[in-house]
Amino acid sequence: MTTFLYLTRRVLQAIVVIFIVTIVVFCLLHALPGGPARGILGPQASAQQLAAFNHDQGLDKPLPLQYVYYLGRLVHGDLGTSYTLNEPVAQLIVQRLPKTLVLTVLSAIVGLLLAIPLGMWQAVRRNKPVDYVATTLSFIAYSTPVYFLGLILVLVFSQLLPLFPPQAPQGDTLGQVFATPQGLVLPVVAGAASMVAVFSRYMRAATLENLSEDYVRTARAGGSRARSLLWRHVFRNSLTSVVAMLGYYVPVVFGGSLVVEQLFNYPGMGLLFWSAAQSSDYPVLLGCVLVIALATVVGTLLADIVQRIIDPRVKEGRS
């Protein structure tokens, strides 16, 4: 299968998945107890208020027609209106999403910069004390809840050792967030910890697998230096599995950001989702769910494309 056909097929698959996601979100909206009107207006709304709301929002029409209207609004960027903040959901997400992306991207970069060399280092020293120690620490980091880890970081580095502020940078713009970069340290560390634990294990396994391949033994027999062989050949081939997992790890990263943002009071989409959940603001909740689902689909697609570039041997059956 040529690269063009492979990419075309993956893009079409992504479009189909996005279409299914819109159906699921639409069904979730209509699965609210008492319907969308009751969920949005609350249990105290009268029958007349419910009927007026359903008529204004087109909820008294057949479901297939409602879904068509829903798709039309999505195409125009209309995700509904928050009934607690009285602002368009799309506007709220546009304001908060860049700050969440900054936090998640920084966490991912820090996590990968630590996890990749750590995994390779463990593979080279397989079954040695340093490997066992690193493996134990990885399991501890992976099993520790993000909320608990964040509290420990605040207690140690904000209270016992006042090195960093306990609250993340505040402000409506990215400029205000970057104005106090020291406030990003603890949230980024909390978000990166699980990535280090997970991806170091993947990198270790991938490196061990490549070290046992025939091309490595042939290169060693030909006199190639171990360090050169490790970074020129094993490193690149081992990255394939790590890149493939990045796309699937997107929802985990966003889920972690929800906890991190709430803990450090970081004004991103995670905190928006948390506040909406506290007030049962369903339009905001479903809008965030839709954005996270779309990010997962796009992340998976990009991971597949990068994986294809890194390893052109990726076959149709493995996609």
Side-chain angles (χ1 to χ4, degrees):
M1 172 178 270
T2 65
T3 301
F4 176 76
L5 291 178
Y6 173 81
L7 296 180
T8 302
R9 177 174 174 269
R10 291 298 294 117
V11 170
L12 292 176
Q13 287 178 344
I15 293 174
V16 172
V17 172
I18 291 174
F19 179 73
I20 295 174
V21 166
T22 62
I23 295 177
V24 172
V25 173
F26 176 79
C27 293
L28 286 175
L29 179 62
H30 286 267
L32 296 174
R38 178 65 68 184
I40 293 175
L41 297 180
Q44 305 300 324
S46 64
Q48 292 79 7
Q49 290 174 322
L50 295 176
F53 180 87
N54 286 332
H55 180 73
D56 293 339
Q57 301 296 322
L59 298 175
D60 53 354
K61 294 180 171 57
L63 283 179
L65 189 58
Q66 290 186 43
Y67 177 70
V68 172
Y69 290 155
Y70 173 72
L71 279 183
R73 292 196 298 270
L74 289 183
V75 170
H76 290 87
D78 183 5
L79 298 177
T81 303
S82 168
Y83 66 88
T84 57
L85 300 175
N86 197 28
E87 294 184 46
V89 174
Q91 179 178 327
L92 292 172
I93 292 178
V94 167
Q95 291 173 349
R96 305 293 187 94
L97 183 58
K99 286 172 278 190
T100 295
L101 289 177
V102 167
L103 181 61
T104 54
V105 169
L106 288 177
S107 298
I109 291 174
V110 171
L112 291 176
L113 287 178
L114 294 175
I116 290 175
L118 176 61
M120 296 184 67
W121 182 65
Q122 286 185 257
V124 173
R125 292 162 176 77
R126 180 185 183 186
N127 296 331
K128 294 184 178 180
V130 291
D131 182 28
Y132 293 132
V133 171
T135 299
T136 301
L137 293 177
S138 295
F139 285 143
I140 292 175
Y142 181 73
S143 60
T144 302
V146 178
Y147 194 87
F148 180 74
L149 176 61
L151 289 176
I152 295 297
L153 291 174
V154 170
L155 177 63
V156 174
F157 296 104
S158 292
Q159 304 300 321
L160 299 179
L161 301 173
L163 300 176
F164 305 104
Q167 180 173 269
Q170 302 297 301
D172 297 328
T173 65
L174 290 179
Q176 292 173 313
V177 170
F178 286 117
T180 53
Q182 64 273 17
L184 288 171
V185 174
L186 296 185
V188 167
V189 171
S194 63
M195 289 200 68
V196 174
V198 171
F199 284 93
S200 65
R201 301 302 299 166
Y202 280 113
M203 194 65 186
R204 178 184 183 275
T207 303
L208 287 174
E209 180 181 354
N210 280 278
L211 285 174
S212 63
E213 294 289 341
D214 292 337
Y215 77 90
V216 174
R217 289 193 289 267
T218 302
R220 283 174 175 170
S224 296
R225 297 178 58 185
R227 183 181 297 273
S228 174
L229 176 63
L230 185 66
W231 289 105
R232 287 187 180 182
H233 302 287
V234 175
F235 171 69
R236 178 177 177 178
N237 292 332
S238 300
L239 276 182
T240 304
S241 60
V242 174
V243 170
M245 284 303 302
L246 275 175
Y248 300 106
Y249 207 71
V250 169
V252 179
V253 173
F254 271 96
S257 70
L258 187 153
V259 179
V260 171
E261 290 182 15
Q262 190 275 334
L263 176 63
F264 292 97
N265 195 32
Y266 182 76
M269 202 173 73
L271 185 59
L272 175 67
F273 186 91
W274 179 275
S275 302
Q278 298 300 306
S279 59
S280 299
D281 196 341
Y282 296 109
V284 174
L285 289 175
L286 294 178
C288 291
V289 168
L290 181 61
V291 170
I292 293 173
L294 294 179
T296 302
V297 173
V298 173
T300 304
L301 176 63
L302 292 178
D304 287 342
I305 293 175
V306 174
Q307 184 184 16
R308 178 77 177 197
I309 295 173
I310 294 177
D311 186 5
R313 297 170 299 173
V314 174
K315 300 183 185 301
E316 180 179 359
R318 293 173 54 193
S319 63

